[in-house]
């Protein structure tokens, strides 16, 4: 099937892109990498009047580290982030990117595009939520900044209004003494996840603080503080084996999986996947935080 007819514009300034989007009165779509939008257009699940291509807007192609944050502009490709040494300052992002589709897709797809598309089984929204990233939305009234945990409203539904563009994301760089984990289960590598987790562990004063974000098991990434569960699993010798985490995490897994079963997996199977992944990755992240093994850019 071919996409329905649409107009195409390629402004070179952000202000012009905002004006073009406003002029469509909700009938426009922004395109950067197009790895999520193009299939939707081809299946005619979306029929925009106008496509606004933002790839010529120079200021949206910036990838920089400023102070305690990594700044990624709207047209920065996933593969560029994956290969750039700056991404080492955000270890969770570096752990997650190889799970995103295939290398060819990442060569074209953008980080911000994946966030704006808001597929509940996608990897990068989970990373943004786990790290509590800050997203910048730009519209006719200027910029506004939104926490990733408030950005996702549901499947393919976000805080973005029809006249706004997600222009950048700021991810906090890792501090010394932090550990991270990321994993998912999919039918094939490159498919969207049946269940997945992103985790972050810190050890201030030796007591674990842990954040878990689950994806593929609800209509959006869901984040929980699991410090109590991790602390309960730590042994006298300072270990946190994955097997000891399953008990404390069981109730959390029950709560987080609120999607119904489908042709790929039942609800109970997803719960069991989530429980196994959460225990394993929390154990790894705790060990990395304890041993200071996580890569931190200087």
């Amino acid at each position: 099937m071919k996409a329905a007819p649409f107009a195409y514009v390629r402004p070179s300034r952000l202000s012009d892109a905002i004006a073009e989007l406003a002029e469509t009165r909700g009938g426009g779509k922004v395109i950067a990498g197009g790895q999520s939008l193009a299939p939707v257009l081809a299946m005619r699940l979306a029929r925009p009047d106008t496509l606004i291509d933002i790839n010529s807007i120079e200021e949206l192609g910036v990838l920089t580290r400023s102070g305690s944050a990594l700044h990624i502009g709207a047209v920065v490709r996933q593969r560029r982030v994956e290969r750039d040494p700056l991404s080492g300052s955000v270890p969770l992002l570096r752990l997650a990117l190889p799970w995103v589709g295939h290398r060819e897709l990442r060569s074209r797809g953008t980080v911000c595009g994946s966030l704006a598309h808001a597929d509940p089984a996608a990897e990068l929204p989970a990373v943004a939520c786990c790290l509590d990233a800050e997203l910048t939305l730009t519209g006719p009234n200027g910029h506004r900044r939104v926490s990733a945990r408030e950005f996702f409203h549901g499947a393919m539904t976000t805080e973005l209004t029809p006249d706004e563009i997600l222009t950048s994301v700021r991810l906090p760089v890792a501090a010394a003494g932090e550990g991270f984990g990321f994993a998912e289960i999919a039918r094939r590598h490159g498919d969207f996840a049946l269940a997945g987790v992103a985790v972050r562990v810190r050890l201030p004063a030796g007591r674990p603080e842990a954040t878990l974000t689950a994806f593929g098991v609800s209509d959006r990434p869901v984040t929980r503080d699991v410090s109590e569960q991790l602390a309960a699993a730590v042994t006298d010798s300072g270990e946190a084996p994955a097997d000891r985490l399953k008990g404390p995490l069981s109730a959390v897994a029950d709560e987080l999986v609120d999607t119904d079963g489908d042709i790929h997996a039942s609800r109970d199977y997803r719960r069991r996947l989530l429980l196994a992944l959460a225990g394993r990755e929390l154990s790894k992240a705790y060990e990395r935080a304890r041993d200071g093994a996580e890569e931190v850019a200087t």
Side-chain angles (χ1 to χ4, degrees), residues 36-246:
S36 298
L37 180 58
V40 172
L41 293 175
M43 291 185 283
R44 299 200 174 190
L45 297 175
R47 298 183 180 213
D49 300 328
T50 305
L51 273 191
I52 298 146
D53 186 339
I54 59 174
N55 282 290
S56 294
I57 302 174
E58 189 174 345
E59 66 186 277
L60 300 184
V62 174
L63 173 62
T64 59
R65 176 179 171 179
S66 176
S68 60
L70 182 69
H71 177 102
I72 303 174
V75 302
V76 175
R77 309 298 186 212
Q78 295 159 3
R79 183 66 175 154
R80 177 183 166 193
V81 177
E82 187 177 5
R83 300 179 68 177
D84 196 298
L86 283 176
S87 66
S89 64
V90 186
L92 184 59
L93 181 63
R94 178 162 278 186
L95 286 172
L97 278 167
W99 294 91
V100 180
H102 300 282
R103 185 176 58 188
E104 292 78 8
L105 297 179
R106 298 196 296 275
S107 295
R108 189 66 190 166
T110 63
V111 173
C112 287
S114 178
L115 299 178
H117 187 60
D119 191 304
E123 295 83 1
L124 296 179
V127 170
C129 287
C130 187
L131 296 178
D132 201 15
E134 179 184 87
L135 282 61
T136 299
L137 318 183
T138 306
N141 298 319
H143 305 291
R144 64 186 179 113
R145 293 182 171 82
V146 178
S147 163
R149 294 176 189 174
E150 298 174 352
F151 180 72
F152 301 100
H153 292 178
M156 319 292 185
T157 308
T158 71
E159 178 70 12
L160 270 171
T161 60
D163 58 357
E164 288 181 319
I165 298 173
L166 172 56
T167 48
S168 68
V169 58
R170 289 171 60 85
L171 295 149
V173 302
E178 288 189 308
F180 302 89
F182 186 96
E184 68 180 45
I185 298 292
R187 289 172 59 83
R188 300 170 301 182
H189 178 72
D191 286 1
F192 285 111
L194 298 176
V197 296
V199 302
R200 178 189 197 183
V201 172
R202 292 179 281 189
L203 296 173
R207 182 170 178 79
E209 293 181 354
T211 302
L212 164 71
T213 298
F215 62 100
V217 297
S218 184
D219 66 347
R220 73 196 80 178
V222 189
T223 302
R224 292 287 185 275
D225 183 327
V226 290
S227 303
E228 182 180 337
Q229 288 79 4
L230 178 56
V234 176
T235 66
D236 293 340
S237 59
E239 307 288 333
D243 287 346
R244 284 177 62 96
L245 278 157
K246 288 183 179 179

